Amino acid sequence: MSAAYPALRLRRTRASGWSRRLHAETVLTPADLIWPLFVTEGEGEPIASLPGVSRWNLAGVVARAREARDLGIPVVALFPNTPPQLRSDDGAEALNPDNLMCRAIRAIKDAVPEIGVLTDVALDPYTSHGHDGIVDANGYVLNDATSDALVRQAVVQAEAGSDIVAPSDMMDGRVGAIREGLEGAGHVNVQIMAYAAKYASAFYGPFRDAVGSRGLLKGDKKTYQMDPANSEEALREVALDIAEGADSVMVKPGLPYLDIITRVKAAFEVPVFAYQVSGEYALIEAGVAAGVADRDALVLETLLAFKRAGCSGVLTYHAAHAARLLGA
Ligand code: PBG
């Protein structure tokens, strides 16, 4: 016979702060956080649809990297806002070793070598149509031509000093191709964090404002990003990316997809990351402004949920704020 009330009172261990801390099954620390940063050629400015988040010039992004290091955040993730005149149909600026992204990587690695730099591999910040790849006459994103460009983009970023390349494009076969390209170029220790299960989501709007692609985007991304209805397919995506050489996998968006995180972690026992995306951030901020709840409590509860679901870490625009709350 198992113990039952009153022998067993689950409230007993909850009765004091020290005991709650002692019994916590999950812990959130600054080392769990990845801070996404937007870079611009301009002076830098706030992003209206992401209150509290800015685009930074090179000096600004270096300052943020220092701040991250001082807060105990291990990695920053970089996203460029490419000037309009450098965007083109094929996104060739992505392959320019002196593009904004590469200059930002070098500036950070020079000034703050002890922080990890994660870079986004996809063409959408560089294309005139806002898609993540090269399109045909009908606007369909071509898989293999795009994958070839992504390999070159990843190698260019690795040459500039990127520590983790993170393909966010959802082309088939690109993780294996990128791994081969990195090995061929001698970058054996540059990691690949694959956006393995990335959904065609309504939560990406403010990000597209931040990189300047929202107004350019023709149509949607449903022919390459996943259908939110699917989870078995997410497991197949993850299995392929791991087989192709991904060091870690990502699920994106975050909170509405915790079930996917848990299934992926249970099935593969590999490092799983989540991206709490721009729309999730903006909704939290809107909720705070509307008096729904306290910001600090919302931030810590949502980030802890990712750890409980099975994540090794979370990309979040609240990273610096959360790290400060956690008292690095
Ligand atoms: C595109 C990319 C997107 C995000 C990261 N990389 C947007 C998209 O797929 O359209 C979204 C991140 C966010 O919303 O915070 N390669």
Side-chain angles (χ1 to χ4, degrees), residues 105 109 113 115-119 161-165 189-192:
I105 300 167
K109 290 313 277 192
I115 198 150
V117 172
L118 179 153
T119 53
S162 175
D163 299 296
I164 308 178
V165 294
N189 280 333
V190 170
Q191 303 174 31
I192 300 177

Side-chain angles (χ1 to χ4, degrees), residues 79 120 122 124 132 168-169 195 198 203-205 207-208 221 225 252 275-279 317:
F79 299 93
D120 192 63
D124 54 307
D132 290 30
S168 67
D169 55 286
Y195 286 68
K198 174 171 175 178
F203 285 92
Y204 303 150
F207 171 95
R208 292 177 188 166
K221 301 192 177 183
Q225 299 178 348
K252 178 186 172 189
Y275 199 146
Q276 185 178 43
V277 298
S278 57
Y317 301 97

Side-chain angles (χ1 to χ4, degrees), residues 100-295:
L100 180 59
M101 173 67 107
C102 291
R103 279 180 282 130
I105 300 167
R106 282 194 294 266
I108 292 174
K109 290 313 277 192
D110 279 350
V112 201
E114 58 276 39
I115 198 150
V117 172
L118 179 153
T119 53
D120 192 63
V121 178
L123 299 183
D124 54 307
Y126 313 89
T127 54
S128 40
H129 43 69
H131 280 293
D132 290 30
I134 295 165
V135 297
D136 70 11
N138 301 318
Y140 184 78
V141 175
L142 296 167
N143 195 85
D144 299 3
T146 298
S147 185
D148 291 347
L150 299 177
V151 172
R152 293 168 58 199
Q153 180 185 23
V155 171
V156 160
Q157 293 175 351
E159 304 278 331
S162 175
D163 299 296
I164 308 178
V165 294
S168 67
D169 55 286
M170 292 301 280
M171 297 303 110
D172 287 320
R174 91 290 203 210
V175 170
I178 290 171
R179 188 69 265 162
E180 205 180 297
L182 291 173
E183 297 290 318
H187 298 293
V188 300
N189 280 333
V190 170
Q191 303 174 31
I192 300 177
M193 182 186 290
Y195 286 68
K198 174 171 175 178
Y199 288 86
S201 170
F203 285 92
Y204 303 150
F207 171 95
R208 292 177 188 166
D209 292 334
V211 300
S213 68
R214 183 169 359 206
L216 302 174
L217 185 62
K218 303 235 176 19
D220 57 42
K221 301 192 177 183
K222 290 180 183 169
T223 70
Y224 44 110
Q225 299 178 348
M226 281 184 56
D227 184 339
N230 298 350
S231 52
E232 282 173 7
E233 190 186 352
L235 300 183
R236 298 181 76 191
E237 285 283 3
V238 168
L240 287 170
D241 286 358
I242 294 168
E244 291 176 29
D247 299 283
S248 55
V249 294
M250 196 199 294
V251 173
K252 178 186 172 189
L255 229 43
Y257 296 85
L258 289 184
D259 58 321
I260 307 298
I261 293 166
T262 301
R263 283 192 74 177
V264 167
K265 188 67 185 179
F268 299 102
E269 299 180 317
V270 297
V272 180
F273 292 84
Y275 199 146
Q276 185 178 43
V277 298
S278 57
E280 298 177 72
Y281 172 94
L283 283 179
I284 289 175
E285 289 300 314
V288 170
V292 171
D294 174 64
R295 174 184 288 113

